[in-house]
């Protein structure tokens, strides 16, 4: 089911393609459900293993337009102080001035600027990622997991995806050299997204 930009066809007619009713039914504003969503990361530590973490507090909005998917958009705000890697001392270091400086820059934000279908249920959404005082473009590869009505009557959509970044591009440059060579923390970080969002009720006439 195509949610975003469909690839152009080679048809020579100017007829408007029929709208997929199932796609049109998804049109609306959705609120990210933090209880059933996760935003995380993986980074190489000491050259030999991976450290995984997540941000426990985040909020976001998806606006889906099933009749004109190019009008769809997404925005997410992540509370830096909610970082959790399973070790309190490490989390404290990450929110300090050496890394995120959460007291001065409490949020990491993403604002989409465009989206495209890669084929099947695979998509790529591009936007501006802001960490600390640095804003840079980021493309996230996503899989649309479908839509459903839950046991409480909420209409939901689901996406999962990932993106690789270089943390130094956003000013996160702290590191320590290892005696055996290499550094304590890799520059490359994998961001992961597992999103469940609930459709807002239609306004009363």
């Amino acid at each position: 089911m195509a949610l975003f930009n469909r690839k152009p066809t080679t048809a020579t007619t100017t007829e408007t393609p029929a709208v997929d009713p199932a796609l049109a039914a998804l049109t609306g504003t959705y609120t990210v459900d933090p209880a059933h969503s996760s935003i995380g990361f993986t980074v190489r530590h000491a050259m030999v293993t991976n450290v995984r973490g997540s941000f426990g507090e985040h909020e976001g909005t998806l606006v889906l337009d099933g009749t004109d998917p190019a009008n769809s958009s997404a925005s997410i705000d992540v509370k830096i102080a909610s970082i959790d890697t399973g070790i309190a001392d490490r989390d404290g270091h990450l929110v300090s001035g050496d890394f995120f400086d959460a007291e001065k820059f409490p949020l990491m934000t993403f604002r989409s600027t465009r989206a495209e279908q890669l084929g099947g249920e695979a998509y790529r959404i591009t936007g501006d990622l802001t960490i600390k005082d640095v804003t840079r473009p980021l493309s996230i590869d996503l899989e649309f997991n479908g839509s459903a009505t839950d046991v409480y009557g909420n209409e939901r959509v689901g996406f999962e995806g990932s993106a690789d970044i270089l943390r130094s591009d956003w000013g996160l440059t702290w590191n320590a050299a290892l005696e055996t060579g290499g550094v304590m923390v890799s520059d490359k970080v994998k961001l992961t997204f597992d999103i469940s969002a609930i459709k807002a009720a239609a306004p009363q006439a």
Side-chain angles (χ1 to χ4, degrees):
M1 183 183 298
L3 282 180
F4 302 118
N5 298 346
R6 295 173 183 248
K7 293 184 179 298
T9 66
T10 56
T12 57
T13 65
T14 58
E15 294 180 3
T16 302
V19 175
D20 182 344
L23 176 61
L26 296 179
T27 297
T29 300
Y30 295 74
T31 300
V32 173
D33 177 8
H36 296 93
S37 303
S38 64
I39 297 176
F41 60 90
T42 303
V43 61
R44 182 75 72 179
H45 177 261
M47 307 296 291
V48 297
T49 190
N50 289 320
V51 168
R52 293 176 174 83
S54 62
F55 296 92
E57 296 183 40
H58 50 81
E59 59 184 23
T61 300
L62 308 179
V63 179
L64 303 182
D65 187 337
T67 60
D68 187 0
N71 290 330
S72 299
S73 63
S75 64
I76 296 176
D77 294 340
V78 178
K79 187 175 180 180
I80 294 297
S82 70
I83 197 168
D84 181 8
T85 64
I87 298 178
D89 286 347
R90 179 165 59 204
D91 296 342
H93 190 199
L94 288 170
V95 300
S96 75
D98 282 346
F99 283 94
F100 288 105
D101 198 358
E103 184 173 350
K104 185 175 181 182
F105 305 102
L107 294 178
M108 173 173 63
T109 66
F110 177 79
R111 301 289 183 266
S112 69
T113 55
R114 64 183 177 88
E116 58 186 313
Q117 183 181 12
L118 302 180
E121 304 300 338
Y123 300 86
R124 178 172 294 143
I125 189 165
T126 298
D128 295 324
L129 177 66
T130 300
I131 303 175
K132 299 176 76 170
D133 58 349
V134 179
T135 299
R136 295 180 62 89
L138 174 70
S139 292
I140 304 169
D141 287 340
L142 294 167
E143 187 80 12
F144 175 53
N145 289 336
S147 61
T149 301
D150 67 22
V151 296
Y152 302 105
N154 297 313
E155 296 181 56
R156 292 179 178 266
V157 292
F159 298 87
E160 61 180 311
S162 63
D164 291 331
I165 67 170
L166 298 178
R167 61 188 179 91
S168 59
D169 287 344
W170 280 267
L172 302 174
T173 57
W174 183 91
N175 228 320
L178 301 175
E179 291 184 2
T180 54
V183 292
M184 180 69 73
V185 185
S186 70
D187 192 20
K188 181 180 178 181
V189 180
K190 182 176 184 178
L191 302 177
T192 56
F193 306 86
D194 198 343
I195 302 297
S196 177
I198 299 173
K199 191 175 186 178
Q204 296 296 321

